[in-house]
Amino acid sequence: MKTCIRTIGILACAVSISFAQDAPEKPERKNPEAMFKKLDTNSDGSLSKEEFTSAMKGKKAEGAEKRFAKLDADSDGSISLEEFKAAAGKVKEKGKGKGKGKGHKGADAGN
């Protein structure tokens, strides 16, 4: 009887561990202030277009100038920490709505 209970316990642990390993990990959001400081290579408190675009690599490099223009809310030719944080906040808010698949229909759909 003890052997049976022990075997069931071991199997239950093994199954729970295997399911835990299959769960996708959520990417950790970086602190916008720390990211800004890393991008601000000359430490002047703002990001120039050159600083911003040179930090973009791979697919992110495509359209970097358009993204820079969107982040530069006051169109002064640089991105301030406040502008950078505001954009990071919008991305965070946008991510909260995830989970509704493409085919999701609300209660009033079709009306």
Side-chain angles (χ1 to χ4, degrees):
M1 184 69 173
K2 286 182 181 181
T3 305
C4 183
I5 292 173
R6 185 177 301 156
T7 304
I8 291 172
I10 291 171
L11 287 173
C13 288
V15 169
S16 65
I17 289 171
S18 68
F19 281 124
Q21 290 175 349
D22 291 340
E25 292 182 23
K26 291 183 180 180
E28 192 173 311
R29 291 270 181 206
K30 293 184 179 180
N31 178 355
E33 226 169 303
M35 288 174 56
F36 183 87
K37 287 180 181 179
K38 186 176 180 180
L39 295 174
D40 185 14
T41 56
N42 65 359
S43 301
D44 67 350
S46 65
L47 299 178
S48 67
K49 187 183 287 189
E50 292 76 26
E51 286 174 318
F52 184 79
T53 56
S54 68
M56 301 297 121
K57 296 176 185 166
K59 289 187 177 183
K60 290 182 180 182
E62 297 172 15
E65 289 189 22
K66 287 182 182 179
R67 280 195 298 279
F68 179 85
K70 285 182 181 181
L71 292 174
D72 184 15
D74 60 6
S75 301
D76 67 349
S78 64
I79 301 170
S80 67
L81 177 59
E82 289 75 27
E83 290 170 323
F84 195 79
K85 282 182 174 180
K90 287 179 185 177
V91 169
K92 195 173 186 179
E93 286 297 315
K94 191 176 183 180
K96 285 185 178 180
K98 289 185 178 179
K100 294 181 179 180
K102 286 185 178 181
H104 180 74
K105 294 181 181 179
D108 61 344
N111 293 335

